[in-house]
Amino acid sequence: MNSPISEALLLRATATTLDAHRAKLPQVSGPFRLPDPIGVAGQITELGRSITEMGDEYLFRAGAPAPQEHTAHTAEALASAIGSVAQAASALGTVAQQIAFVARTAGKRDDVGYEDAHTVAGQMIEFAVETANDDLAEAAQTLRTAASAVSPPAVQLQRAALARSPGATATAPAPTATAAPATAAVQRAPARSR
């Protein structure tokens, strides 16, 4: 089974992937522009791949007989993140739906209610993108919190010391396998409620 260090590395790497997804979301600040439908479709596909990958990692851990605490904690964090990423994908589905509505009604500018309908579509797109952003941020934070909880105590102390030192960088060096014994006690992080 995986060690606490390998579990923490997986959780942090997955969180970084989710941050990359967030960075690709359509920009909704400033003057409104309709997002590119192909770009939105690609993002939905990428989120689907991330859900599948996290699901596979969860399955690997959930199927383990008598899993160690760090394994169970990783599985719990992955399951929570899957839920948040699925909500983000759903929000992008709303974006895609509204883009399709705008395209379908583009030739009906003279119809009563056209302007209002398109204004509402734009507002829904902005809200859905913000929702997707929040859901992905929540998923990444859940994974990082779990990574800190499953890290061996020596690694936790090393990261805390690096964070307090002058000129600390945002990323600490990767811990080595000899940083702490794998049987170290693991602190549980409180679960976030939605």
Side-chain angles (χ1 to χ4, degrees):
M1 192 45 62
N2 294 342
S3 70
I5 290 174
S6 66
E7 296 287 57
L9 291 173
L10 168 77
L11 291 167
R12 286 193 182 93
T14 306
T16 299
T17 298
L18 297 182
D19 288 338
H21 289 317
R22 280 180 64 211
K24 295 179 190 175
L25 289 173
Q27 298 299 313
V28 293
S29 58
F32 177 75
R33 289 185 317 181
L34 201 62
D36 171 38
I38 295 172
V40 171
Q43 289 177 302
I44 293 170
T45 301
E46 287 179 16
L47 290 180
R49 282 193 200 106
S50 288
I51 290 169
T52 300
E53 290 167 6
M54 288 188 291
D56 289 344
E57 293 292 347
Y58 171 79
L59 177 63
F60 173 69
R61 287 156 184 81
Q68 295 181 352
E69 186 174 355
H70 64 269
T71 303
H73 196 83
T74 299
E76 182 182 1
L78 287 167
S80 177
I82 288 167
S84 294
V85 176
Q87 289 174 340
S90 177
L92 288 181
T94 298
V95 172
Q97 181 184 15
Q98 294 305 312
I99 292 171
F101 166 77
V102 170
R104 180 174 57 81
T105 59
K108 301 181 179 181
R109 293 184 185 277
D110 296 331
D111 287 6
V112 176
Y114 171 88
E115 290 296 332
D116 289 342
H118 280 241
T119 298
V120 169
Q123 291 169 345
M124 289 180 71
I125 288 171
E126 289 180 8
F127 180 76
V129 169
E130 289 168 4
T131 299
N133 183 68
D134 292 346
D135 288 333
L136 290 173
E138 181 176 337
Q141 184 56 47
T142 296
L143 296 174
R144 285 193 175 91
T145 299
S148 294
V150 301
S151 292
V155 175
Q156 293 175 10
L157 291 173
Q158 177 189 24
R159 288 188 180 279
L162 285 170
R164 288 191 305 269
S165 66
T169 60
T171 39
T176 61
T178 59
T183 58
V186 177
Q187 298 174 354
R188 301 232 356 138
R192 285 185 65 182
S193 61
R194 288 208 59 147

